[in-house]
Amino acid sequence: VQLQASGGGLVQAGGSLRLSCAASGRTFSSSFMGWFRQAPGKEREFVAGIRWGGGSTYYADPVKGRFTISRDSAKNLVYLQLNSLKPEDTAVYYCAKAITYGTSPVGYRSWGQGTQVTVSS
């Protein structure tokens, strides 16, 4: 499967963005989709994830209540809505596919190319 992330950009603090992750190839049916981010000089960290089959969602503490992950099964798309953005949310955001829920990048086999999110103060 190939993943393509898009939707990043430059936004002021308090603003919003919606990231999209499009998949080509095999369907997601029994997969887990995650969004990660990586800021300069920092490790890649889990942001949010969703079980494709049941739709259960998971969030890292720093983004709870501000970010929302969702999916469109018919279009093979996963979204990450980013609200109330803060300068510390600045990073390259990646979508990735795994077999099951996990917060470590190690468990994810397929990765998108990343999309830059920059939040100005």
Side-chain angles (χ1 to χ4, degrees), residues 33-85:
M33 294 299 297
W35 283 95
F36 287 76
R37 66 185 181 186
Q38 188 166 18
K42 295 188 177 181
E43 294 185 350
R44 192 167 296 189
E45 63 176 359
F46 176 81
V47 175
I50 186 167
R51 293 192 187 278
W52 196 262
S56 299
T57 57
Y58 305 80
Y59 297 94
D61 287 342
V63 308
K64 282 181 180 176
R66 299 189 298 121
F67 292 6
T68 303
I69 189 171
S70 61
R71 82 236 191 272
D72 184 327
S73 301
K75 297 181 179 179
N76 270 3
L77 287 168
V78 177
Y79 302 105
L80 185 66
Q81 179 68 40
L82 289 65
N83 295 331
S84 301
L85 281 162

Side-chain angles (χ1 to χ4, degrees), residues 3 21 28 31-35 48-50 52 69 78 95-97 108:
L3 304 175
C21 178
F28 290 131
S31 304
F32 186 89
M33 294 299 297
W35 283 95
I50 186 167
W52 196 262
I69 189 171
V78 177
C95 60
K97 176 178 174 291
Y108 292 76

